[in-house]
Amino acid sequence: MPYANIPRNTNKAIDAIIGIDNLQLSTGSGGLGTHKWADWHWVDAESVMWTSFRVILEKFREAYANKKTISIADRAVVKQTIKAAREYSGFDVNSHRLFLKIAAFGDIHDWNVANIKYGTPLAKKSGTAKSDSPKALQPVVFIQKVLSNEMVLIVASPETPNRVALPEGMKFAKVYRFIGEKAPKSTADFDFYGNARKGKLDVNFDGVDLTGPNKLYAWFYARYESNKGELGQGGGWVSSQILS
């Protein structure tokens, strides 16, 4: 199903395209100054094109989400833009096969956001967890902004990765952090940082010595805690260089 990655429902399609754009513009594996789209082997023109779809659709996101009156002309613009995104990223001979590239070069975090299952381990993923159990729910973490001595994280549900609402029955997402020059070896290297209750968490690096000659990086992952106090599995790691 070439277009299964972009939902047929207009509201969900807008959210999906915006969510993928947030991810493709986020920090890549090479640290500050690199982007996810390059990790996926997209080229610069493909990244720019995807953002152009997002720019058009973002103007109408609130109207569709809140079921406001939308003119026939505006509906036509939205419909045509979503169609263009599907055709541009699809599997046809003249398309760019963007989702195939995410499937081939992305990780489970990327596959969840882009709704990619075929050809990945997610195709054999077990059924959805009960609403009051976080065991099978792994939060998706984005680094939204990298500022001086600060980062802004977005934590989203794997079931609805383009929205930040907590899954039913969850109290918050617990965020863990590791700081170092090289990647951590396991989750045992991380320390608990804070709880993201509304899908967003501001992280500061007060007390961290950033004056050394080598660059320091911060890695993050999250896990849900239910209203019953039950802890879920940790999601994928994300990282970026710390700016002094």
Side-chain angles (χ1 to χ4, degrees):
M1 296 176 63
Y3 301 142
N5 304 93
I6 300 177
R8 289 295 179 185
N9 176 275
T10 301
N11 192 22
K12 292 180 179 179
I14 293 173
D15 281 345
I17 289 169
I18 292 174
I20 292 167
D21 192 58
N22 286 336
L23 181 59
Q24 68 110 350
L25 295 176
S26 66
T27 303
S29 60
L32 191 66
T34 66
H35 298 91
K36 270 282 188 180
W37 59 262
D39 290 347
W40 299 337
H41 293 218
W42 288 16
V43 298
D44 183 67
E46 291 170 336
S47 170
V48 170
M49 180 61 77
W50 195 263
T51 298
S52 73
F53 299 140
R54 181 252 182 85
V55 169
I56 295 171
L57 294 173
E58 199 162 33
K59 302 172 186 176
F60 305 101
R61 185 181 197 180
E62 182 181 355
Y64 272 92
N66 296 314
K67 299 181 179 179
K68 295 182 178 180
T69 301
I70 304 169
S71 70
I72 294 176
D74 284 347
R75 287 184 183 277
V77 169
V78 171
K79 182 178 180 180
Q80 183 58 43
T81 303
I82 294 173
K83 179 182 179 183
R86 288 192 178 111
E87 292 177 348
Y88 186 82
S89 60
F91 304 165
D92 295 337
V93 66
N94 294 320
S95 70
H96 290 249
R97 299 173 173 83
L98 298 187
F99 291 109
L100 279 179
K101 295 177 183 179
I102 300 175
F105 302 107
D107 55 27
I108 190 169
H109 177 178
D110 307 336
W111 300 334
N112 270 314
V113 174
N115 190 32
I116 294 172
K117 295 180 175 63
Y118 184 75
T120 75
L122 295 184
K124 300 179 180 179
K125 193 174 181 180
S126 59
T128 303
K130 295 180 181 178
S131 62
D132 62 349
S133 172
K135 285 187 175 181
L137 296 174
Q138 299 178 5
V140 179
V141 181
F142 304 91
I143 298 177
Q144 185 184 52
K145 294 181 182 179
V146 179
L147 307 169
S148 176
N149 198 48
E150 182 183 359
M151 293 183 191
V152 179
L153 305 185
I154 298 295
V155 183
S157 166
E159 297 179 326
T160 55
N162 301 312
R163 294 181 178 273
V164 296
L166 286 167
E168 182 181 354
M170 298 302 109
K171 186 187 302 183
F172 40 62
K174 302 178 76 69
V175 176
Y176 297 81
R177 182 179 77 175
F178 170 82
I179 295 174
E181 297 176 19
K182 296 181 179 180
K185 295 181 179 179
S186 73
T187 55
D189 296 326
F190 287 74
D191 294 315
F192 172 69
Y193 181 82
N195 295 320
R197 290 180 171 83
K198 295 184 178 180
K200 191 172 184 179
L201 185 66
D202 292 328
V203 176
N204 68 65
F205 299 95
D206 295 342
V208 178
D209 185 5
L210 303 176
T211 62
N214 298 324
K215 297 177 182 178
L216 287 179
Y217 297 84
W219 279 261
F220 302 93
Y221 78 92
R223 59 196 300 202
Y224 284 122
E225 181 173 331
S226 74
N227 291 326
K228 297 179 179 179
E230 184 180 12
L231 288 175
Q233 301 174 14
W237 301 357
V238 294
S239 66
S240 184
Q241 183 185 338
I242 303 172
L243 300 182
S244 59

